[in-house]
Amino acid sequence: NLMPVDNIRAYVDRKLFIHNMGHAASAYLGYLARPEATLLPDVLRSPGVLAEVRAAMNESADALAAEYPLALDREDLDEHIEDLIRRFQNHALGDTVYRVGRDLKRKLHKEDRLLGAVILAARHGLPRTAMETAFLSALEFRATDEEGRPFAGDEDFVENHLSKGLAGVLTDVCELDPREPVESTVYRELTERISGYR
């Protein structure tokens, strides 16, 4: 069932910005809504969480279709999103909120799943509110493993980066460049939302 493609970059970005982004968004939004839940399918039982995750994935799909109009069909991306959501909801996989969300410093970088998708949408002047909401929810992610232990890198993120101010996270951890026009726009949007978040 291998499928040859002309533009492999489009499919690499599809994996990162729809699959990985949606997976992480499920963990971060799900943890915020149900911090006591262990499994990813359990947090996705919440209609609000599921709707937010689907909205974020759809925003990313719009951005990808704009970036790669010859390689990615928007209707095909819709089918892909629904297939992924079904997989995220599969209890047999045993996916935990902790495993999917951990390693915040890597996953919040501007070239990774969340901010990378937000920046792509911003580059095309497309909506990104749902993806930004998922990013902001990640800042409150404190899930632990089955032994009740947090991921060491996430403890460092909270103690040594988040504690110094959220705007600093955007430059020090996410490495947004305020001199770059699109990244400056994203920086401004997030700092404005952070000021009124929760």
Side-chain angles (χ1 to χ4, degrees):
N1 294 319
L2 291 177
M3 180 183 73
V5 296
D6 292 324
N7 188 345
I8 191 64
R9 181 76 247 173
Y11 287 86
V12 170
D13 282 353
R14 186 187 78 161
K15 169 66 165 62
L16 184 60
F17 296 150
I18 295 185
H19 186 157
N20 294 11
M21 189 280 298
H23 215 201
S26 299
Y28 301 140
L29 293 163
Y31 176 80
L32 200 58
R34 293 191 55 199
E36 78 288 352
T38 299
L39 294 178
L40 201 68
D42 291 335
V43 299
L44 288 171
R45 285 181 179 172
S46 166
V49 172
L50 184 57
E52 288 179 310
V53 169
R54 183 178 275 116
M57 294 172 80
N58 275 303
E59 285 179 352
S60 186
D62 287 340
L64 285 163
E67 181 76 4
Y68 302 109
L70 300 180
L72 299 176
D73 177 78
R74 189 61 183 84
E75 289 186 11
D76 290 344
L77 292 176
D78 282 338
E79 292 178 13
H80 184 56
I81 287 168
E82 294 309 311
D83 178 62
L84 287 171
I85 287 173
R86 283 191 295 271
R87 286 198 264 165
F88 297 167
Q89 293 172 312
N90 185 352
H91 266 91
L93 296 177
D95 241 346
T96 65
V97 173
Y98 166 77
R99 189 199 73 77
V100 174
R102 71 185 177 190
D103 200 1
L104 291 165
K105 284 195 286 187
R106 176 172 63 89
K107 291 177 179 174
L108 296 184
H109 190 269
K110 70 180 183 182
E111 294 179 357
D112 213 284
R113 59 211 69 203
L114 277 166
L115 271 190
V118 169
I119 290 168
L120 183 64
R123 189 176 300 136
H124 290 280
L126 293 169
R128 47 205 176 264
T129 303
M131 292 188 291
E132 289 177 351
T133 298
F135 173 88
L136 292 173
S137 69
L139 300 177
E140 300 192 42
F141 186 75
R142 306 288 184 273
T144 58
D145 66 15
E146 293 177 358
E147 309 297 322
R149 296 171 301 202
F151 184 68
D154 292 347
E155 283 188 302
D156 177 70
F157 170 79
V158 171
E159 293 172 12
N160 298 315
H161 297 284
L162 192 56
S163 64
K164 295 178 182 176
L166 299 178
V169 168
L170 296 177
T171 51
D172 298 340
V173 175
C174 306
E175 297 189 341
L176 284 177
D177 183 355
R179 298 165 299 178
E180 199 282 322
V182 173
E183 293 184 27
S184 176
T185 296
V186 171
Y187 179 94
R188 185 180 66 253
E189 288 173 354
L190 290 170
T191 51
E192 286 173 357
R193 288 193 60 183
I194 282 168
S195 66
Y197 186 66
R198 291 193 32 109

